[in-house]
Amino acid sequence: MNTVPFRLNLRVRLLLTYLLVIGVGAVTVVVTTSLVAPSFYDIHMAGMTGPGGTGAGGMMGGSSGTGGTGTMMQGADAAIRAAYQQAVLQSVLAGVAVAVIVAVIIGLFVSSRIADPIKRTVTAAGRLAAGHYAERVPVPGEDRHARQEDELGQLAASFNQMASSLEQTERKRVDLLGDVAHELRTPINTLQGYLEGLLDEVIEPTPELWASMHSEAGRMQRLVNDLQDLSRAEARQLSLKVEPYETRAIIDAAVYGLRLHFAEKGVDLRVHTSPDLPQVLADRDRAVQVLTNLLGNSLRYTPAPGIVTLTASSTRSALGMHQSDKLAIAAKGGEVLFQVADTGIGIASENLPHIFERFYRVDKSRSRAAGGSGIGLTITQALVQVMGGRIWAESAGTGKGSTFCFTLPVAH
């Protein structure tokens, strides 16, 4: 049976350490005094009672009579008191010296247990600042069976988490630069080939050629616009006009512009909405853009004859229709749930966690011209989150279609 270890924070541990040092010092003084004091006392008494001493023996040998006896007793008491005080003083000094040595040893051990993790973290932070994003520090209190973390362990764990996030961010940055360069290379090479052919007069300037060049320039322009929208959305710098809007009006605006494209490809677009849909609090244009992106994505990856179904309902009624943990999470609070389900190529389980990443494509064999820029879903996710909603994807597997769900808050 696994047991949760008792955890002490750093403040309590330091307090207990100080108390331990004090206790060890006190015990050391007591033990040392009890061991050394009798020896010191015997030494002082032997010095006073021996030949030529000034203690009780000397006094007894040189005095007689009743008055001499009283004087002798007083001298003996004084000598014993002096011997006792000297023996106690010396034994206490010896005990303090031993206690200091023991306290220094314990203090060095405890301080090293505290200072060493901090020094390792400082050194690792310097290497991290220099660009070594794979730097990690060991977590104090971690063993094979249980993990007991105080503030030092939490500091190390937080540092490792930060380093991991920075490493992932740097990897994404490098990948983004490579993906953008790859996306721009194709239209630029195409335009450059056309222009060289025109300059060398090996290509006739036909209307079809100008149209093709215009199309390639449009691809670059769309990519630049998409990257700009994505950057602003992720930085939450988009100028949004968030107001209450009729849910059905947003759906009609998105569907109206895509019905012709669905008809041309031979894919059936179906819309199902609840009769009592509340208003949503959103930016109308951005909400229409989100729906357009999801419907266009389903159209792109659904071969004819296929079906794409757009469903909108309140989260209460949606929970009665779909038994899913993700829907249960989305149902917290007043929200309207949008679902875009298709009968397309589907998404493998290993691809679902990456479906909203930049330039990620499920169908690797599809050309970039037919597969879009690869950041449409990333922009969609950023827009939904900026408007206060959630978005996720579900799929039963490859060839079994996929469903994209997102929520928008209800306007009260």
Side-chain angles (χ1 to χ4, degrees):
M1 178 182 297
N2 294 329
T3 58
V4 179
F6 180 71
R7 298 180 180 180
L8 298 177
N9 57 36
L10 185 60
R11 179 181 300 178
V12 175
R13 291 179 61 188
L14 288 176
L15 177 61
L16 293 178
T17 301
Y18 295 148
L19 294 178
L20 175 63
V21 172
I22 294 174
V24 170
V27 171
T28 303
V29 170
V30 172
V31 173
T32 305
T33 302
S34 62
L35 294 178
V36 176
S39 301
F40 285 150
Y41 182 77
D42 293 339
I43 293 174
H44 287 289
M45 290 300 296
M48 286 185 291
T49 58
T54 59
M59 292 179 184
M60 292 179 181
S63 300
S64 62
T66 304
T69 302
T71 304
M72 178 186 66
M73 294 300 297
Q74 292 178 357
D77 291 341
I80 293 173
R81 187 180 301 108
Y84 175 76
Q85 290 176 348
Q86 292 179 1
V88 170
L89 177 62
Q90 292 177 349
S91 60
V92 169
L93 291 177
V96 169
V98 176
V100 169
I101 296 174
V102 174
V104 169
I105 295 175
I106 296 177
L108 289 176
F109 173 76
V110 174
S111 62
S112 65
R113 299 276 294 183
I114 297 176
D116 289 349
I118 296 177
K119 290 172 60 178
R120 287 195 296 266
T121 304
V122 171
T123 303
R127 289 181 54 81
L128 188 67
H132 301 278
Y133 297 106
E135 190 72 19
R136 300 292 186 274
V137 295
V139 179
E142 187 176 13
D143 55 29
R144 296 179 302 174
H145 305 291
R147 183 173 180 174
Q148 180 179 356
E149 294 182 3
D150 55 9
E151 284 83 351
L152 295 176
Q154 295 172 3
L155 174 63
S158 299
F159 177 86
N160 291 340
Q161 184 178 5
M162 178 190 67
S164 178
S165 299
L166 290 175
E167 185 178 18
Q168 294 178 6
T169 301
E170 178 65 14
R171 186 183 302 112
K172 289 182 179 179
R173 185 188 69 84
V174 174
D175 294 342
L176 176 62
L177 293 176
D179 290 333
V180 171
H182 188 79
E183 292 288 343
L184 292 175
R185 185 180 297 113
T186 299
I188 289 176
N189 290 340
T190 302
L191 287 175
Q192 185 177 11
Y194 285 152
L195 292 174
E196 289 178 354
L198 290 173
L199 290 175
D200 296 337
E201 298 182 353
V202 297
I203 299 179
E204 293 293 332
T206 62
E208 291 78 9
L209 176 61
W210 297 121
S212 179
M213 294 177 64
H214 183 269
S215 176
E216 296 298 332
R219 285 182 59 191
M220 289 190 294
Q221 184 63 46
R222 287 192 298 272
L223 177 60
V224 171
N225 292 339
D226 289 343
L227 289 173
Q228 187 177 29
D229 289 343
L230 177 60
S231 176
R232 290 178 177 177
E234 291 184 339
R236 296 187 178 273
Q237 295 178 350
L238 285 176
S239 178
L240 298 180
K241 187 179 180 181
V242 178
E243 294 179 353
Y245 284 101
E246 294 292 339
T247 305
R248 183 70 198 194
I250 296 175
I251 294 174
D252 292 340
V255 171
Y256 178 79
L258 291 174
R259 282 201 178 275
L260 181 59
H261 297 284
F262 275 86
E264 290 177 349
K265 189 175 180 180
V267 177
D268 186 14
L269 175 58
R270 302 175 183 178
V271 179
H272 299 290
T273 59
S274 300
D276 56 346
L277 281 177
Q279 290 183 329
V280 292
L281 191 64
D283 183 295
R284 179 186 180 279
D285 294 337
R286 296 301 184 180
V288 171
Q289 181 181 355
V290 168
L291 270 179
T292 302
N293 286 349
L294 294 180
L295 290 172
N297 183 78
S298 294
L299 175 62
R300 184 178 298 114
Y301 293 105
T302 301
I307 301 174
V308 175
T309 304
L310 170 59
T311 304
S313 57
S314 64
T315 52
R316 292 179 181 270
S317 60
L319 285 176
M321 296 163 52
H322 303 277
Q323 303 299 326
S324 171
D325 293 338
K326 293 182 179 180
L327 290 179
I329 295 175
K332 293 181 179 179
E335 296 173 323
V336 172
L337 175 67
F338 299 83
Q339 294 175 287
V340 179
D342 60 61
T343 59
I345 63 175
I347 306 172
S349 58
E350 62 269 15
N351 293 328
L352 279 175
H354 310 286
I355 198 66
F356 293 103
E357 293 180 1
R358 302 182 186 97
F359 300 102
Y360 188 84
R361 289 183 176 84
V362 175
D363 189 358
K364 306 298 183 181
S365 62
R366 188 174 288 267
S367 66
R368 294 184 177 267
S373 64
I375 59 176
L377 290 179
T378 310
I379 295 176
T380 300
Q381 181 189 46
L383 291 176
V384 170
Q385 292 175 348
V386 168
M387 290 187 290
R390 307 179 184 90
I391 186 170
W392 65 91
E394 297 176 341
S395 178
T398 305
K400 298 181 181 180
S402 58
T403 301
F404 287 87
C405 309
F406 73 95
T407 63
L408 290 177
V410 171
H412 297 287

